[in-house]
Amino acid sequence: MLVLGIETSCDETAAALVTDEREIRANVVLSQLDEHAPYGGIVPEIAARSHIEHLDGLIARAMRDAGAEFGDLDGVAVTAGPGLIGAVMVGLMTGKAVAGVHDLPFAAVNHLEGHALSARLSDADLQFPYLLLLVSGGHCQLLIVEGVARYRRLGTTIDDAAGEAFDKAAKLLELGYPGGPAIERAAEDGDGTRFKLPRPLKGRAGCDFSFSGLKTALLHKVRDLERGLDDGLRADLAASFQQAVADVVIDRCQNAIHTFQEAHPEGQFLVAGGGVVANSLLRARLKTLAEKNSLSLALPPLALCTDNAAMIAWAGIER
């Protein structure tokens, strides 16, 4: 089976061809970072227009990279939400057109399901059920994945997602966009213990997340600086903020592991997906947490953590 995947939920335009034997024949992603950087965040209208301008060319490039023609396809899978509605519609209508013209099966894929199943694309040994941490720019959730289309949500953010918190923190510290990589780079030279920041919900029951208060606390720290920001202060603030986010995520994951192991004592895997999983500190902390609880940590390759079309194609194949 060879499936064309299309992803346009936010600010990456992506097309991929994937087989049911887990072979990624092509995986093309066009970033819009330069277009949104002057605004310090994603502008929905700019994102949608960029998808319109580039998607057909990216699909053609993916087909060439895979050495395939439309007649070789067995199906089309497209992100159908959640996301920026204008951006989602570009990919959805394009995918429907390809499927309709070539009389192919069409799968409308939930973007979060793409992340939820992406680890199975890179790891054939990853079996259901598993515990999933989904942490990205727009979402922060803990779920038990019992099978395709069988998800039990244990917790979600009650305000902001971790990725959004990183973006806002980076903007506050004048580190640029996107915020996650900018915070991580600055934190490499910083002292994560210098500034005392809150850990929202840490130590409480349940698996929900909260990052709004942490952002506000960082804002107050910056405002209280008498001489303003310099590179050293930025590094220490970035490191302190990154450490606080990691502490919250690990605490919430520990609660979720208890629930998961009670419900599925046969479960062997903790899986993490979403763009924030690219953070090296968080990956290291998750590895330690998994080992502590006798679980194997499954992390998709970095290229499959951020938004991409290969995970959408694979979710379509799973469906």
Side-chain angles (χ1 to χ4, degrees):
M1 184 185 297
L2 180 66
V3 171
L4 169 66
I6 297 172
E7 155 63 26
T8 62
S9 66
C10 195
D11 63 332
E12 276 91 16
T13 313
L17 280 91
V18 177
T19 75
D20 58 346
E21 295 181 338
R22 292 180 167 82
E23 178 189 6
I24 300 176
R25 297 266 298 273
N27 189 22
V28 182
V29 181
L30 178 65
S31 172
Q32 300 177 9
L33 289 180
D34 291 342
E35 296 173 72
H36 298 281
Y39 305 96
I42 298 167
V43 181
E45 180 67 15
I46 292 176
R49 289 180 180 273
S50 183
H51 291 316
I52 291 171
E53 292 173 6
H54 297 111
L55 181 56
D56 56 347
L58 259 69
I59 293 173
R61 178 180 160 190
M63 300 292 285
R64 289 195 302 270
D65 289 352
E69 298 180 354
F70 287 111
D72 300 320
L73 296 177
D74 297 295
V76 180
V78 184
T79 297
L84 305 174
I85 185 62
V88 168
M89 290 301 291
V90 174
L92 198 57
M93 292 297 99
T94 301
K96 282 185 176 182
V98 172
V101 168
H102 299 283
D103 194 24
L104 295 168
F106 177 83
V109 175
N110 185 296
H111 180 78
L112 303 187
E113 184 171 38
H115 282 301
L117 299 174
S118 63
R120 283 173 49 83
L121 171 56
S122 57
D123 186 354
D125 295 327
L126 179 57
Q127 300 297 316
F128 302 118
Y130 54 81
L131 178 64
L132 171 70
L133 167 67
L134 176 56
V135 56
S136 67
H139 306 278
C140 199
Q141 298 183 353
L142 281 159
L143 309 99
I144 297 177
V145 180
E146 297 176 331
V148 179
R150 294 173 56 204
Y151 309 103
R152 176 185 169 193
R153 194 176 74 183
L154 302 180
T156 188
T157 179
I158 60 176
D159 41 54
D160 302 324
E164 180 190 3
F166 273 121
D167 284 341
K168 295 292 177 57
K171 188 173 184 179
L172 183 62
L173 297 177
E174 301 172 355
L175 293 172
Y177 177 84
I183 290 286
E184 184 172 7
R185 284 193 300 270
E188 291 177 358
D189 300 319
D191 177 2
T193 65
R194 179 174 179 181
F195 291 97
K196 186 177 180 181
L197 293 172
R199 271 66 170 166
L201 298 183
K202 183 181 177 183
R204 297 191 187 183
C207 304
D208 286 336
F209 299 86
S210 172
F211 296 102
S212 179
L214 176 57
K215 292 192 310 183
T216 302
L218 181 66
L219 172 64
H220 288 307
K221 292 291 185 185
V222 172
R223 286 179 174 174
D224 290 343
L225 296 174
E226 295 180 358
R227 294 178 295 176
L229 287 169
D230 57 31
D231 289 344
L233 288 170
R234 285 190 180 91
D236 291 344
L237 285 164
S240 299
F241 185 85
Q242 179 179 251
Q243 189 67 57
V245 171
D247 285 350
V248 169
V249 171
I250 295 303
D251 176 79
R252 304 285 86 195
C253 284
Q254 182 62 74
N255 288 356
I257 288 172
H258 289 154
T259 302
F260 172 63
Q261 292 182 328
E262 287 179 359
H264 296 283
E266 78 282 12
Q268 302 177 28
F269 292 95
L270 168 62
V271 178
V276 178
V277 177
N279 182 278
S280 57
L281 172 64
L282 183 57
R283 292 170 80 92
R285 295 282 302 274
L286 286 170
K287 186 175 187 296
T288 301
L289 178 69
E291 292 173 350
K292 171 186 172 184
N293 290 277
S294 301
L295 294 173
S296 296
L297 178 64
L299 295 172
L302 291 181
L304 297 181
C305 287
T306 54
D307 291 351
N308 65 91
M311 69 177 188
I312 302 303
W314 176 252
I317 289 171
E318 292 262 40
R319 283 275 181 174

